[in-house]
Amino acid sequence: MAMLWKFMRVARYSKTALPPKVRGILVHSRHSSSSKSVPSDFAASTPCSNTVELLGKSYPQDDYSNVTEKILSKVGKNLHNKKHHPLWLIKEQVKDHFYKQYIGRRGTPLFSVYDGLSPVVTVQQNFDSLLIPQNHASRKKEDNYYLNRDHMLRAHTSAHQWDLIHSGLDAFLAVGDVYRRDTIDNTHYPVFHQMEGVRLFSCHELFSNIKDVESFQLFEQGHRTAHKQECHTMEAVRLVEFNLKQVLTKLMTHIFGDGLQVRWVDCSFPFTHPSFEMEINFQGEWLEVLGCGVMEQQLVNSAGAQDKIGWAFGLGLERLAMILYDIPDIRLFWSEDERFLKQFIVPHICQKIKFQPLSRYPPLINDISFWLPSETYSKNDFYELARTIGGDLIEKVVLLDEFTHPKYFPVHGLRWIIVTQPDSVLTACLKIILYCGFESILLCHSHKFHVRLTKKIENSEGLLLLHLLPA
């Protein structure tokens, strides 16, 4: 959900690659209604040259297919379900809080938790069911991982919201890995983890503590304002908003401790109105931690709960873990280094932890420049190339300069700075490997970028410059 809140396995490994070198992953099936995650074993499956097989299903490729082998290798990792992983600790803290704080009429937890739902969803689930317009920027191919025009890797856990409400649930948390093509720096990664929360109220539930409950209604035929939807009464909206903010304030206090300062910022999301972003004052700095709001009634109605009103929120597990544990780089969550993982093996999920850095070496800075046709260029395309070559060794990619070729207009010139992970063994050899990799992959993708290599030079500082012009 946070994407749009903000922007909104023991099987045979096949070496056969799908064009453009996309392999699938096959994992054992899981029951969608269970909060237990099924262990996944990695395998590649290529039943035919234009199909990706993922999680036991085949998806034909088309002009929208852009998921890479690197991204497919992350599917099924389920970091949020690995015991003692920092993301698991955050998830368990939130789950424990909701289980203990909110009890249903039968003495069981009010909120059910779903943390094993498949990350493969339809475009309808990811966008249409959430009332996201066809021309909304969040739908762009450049920002998402599409298996084809109809299926994609979910961009937010909100993709399951409609289905869970339609199944009859009134209160639930949905947790999972989500996928988005994005910039490269210490706070962005193409795979991250989110938690979705939804709570619906009937008229009796919402006004149960108010005298003369019969005189209050959830709905009316009115007008949409900055504070309410056209179909909601002001009394209902105020109570839902109060309950939402109270629930989230208690949650953040549970995680970060008593005395926490909180503030709410009005904002806009396609699937809630009114909408808010929650900020907390942590160690003297205001930090945005989640998005939330009163659910659009059209969404609730279409899922079959037309007699109820509700709220929803979405938060990023990495965001909370980086703040709480002082983890400086989002790539560390994917580390298998025992020096990282053992820091989170604690006897209690709420135990205080302060991350200890793994390396004392400074980062390596590399420089690369090239020409590309501006009409076919996307920054996220280059980020994908960088991730394909350097993987998690690449810490940050920064666009340093842009310029236009004086002869081959509208050819676009770009100069990038690539910062790689520091380590005692990552010396000039890594620099050579990275440069050779960039040269190779840019040429391999020359059909896409419509370019040709004209010359390769190394300047006085040892920085490789690749000059590509229109083919």
Side-chain angles (χ1 to χ4, degrees), residues 112 402 431:
S112 52
E402 297 183 68
K431 193 175 185 178

Side-chain angles (χ1 to χ4, degrees), residues 241-252 261-267 275-280 286-293 312-313:
E241 181 182 329
F242 175 80
N243 182 268
L244 168 64
K245 292 180 177 180
Q246 184 183 58
V247 166
L248 294 176
T249 299
K250 286 183 178 180
L251 172 62
M252 291 302 144
Q261 288 183 281
V262 171
R263 69 184 183 189
W264 302 92
V265 180
D266 293 339
C267 57
S275 304
F276 316 96
E277 285 181 345
M278 182 184 192
E279 296 183 353
I280 64 171
W286 284 103
L287 304 169
E288 185 270 321
V289 290
L290 58 82
C292 61
F313 72 84

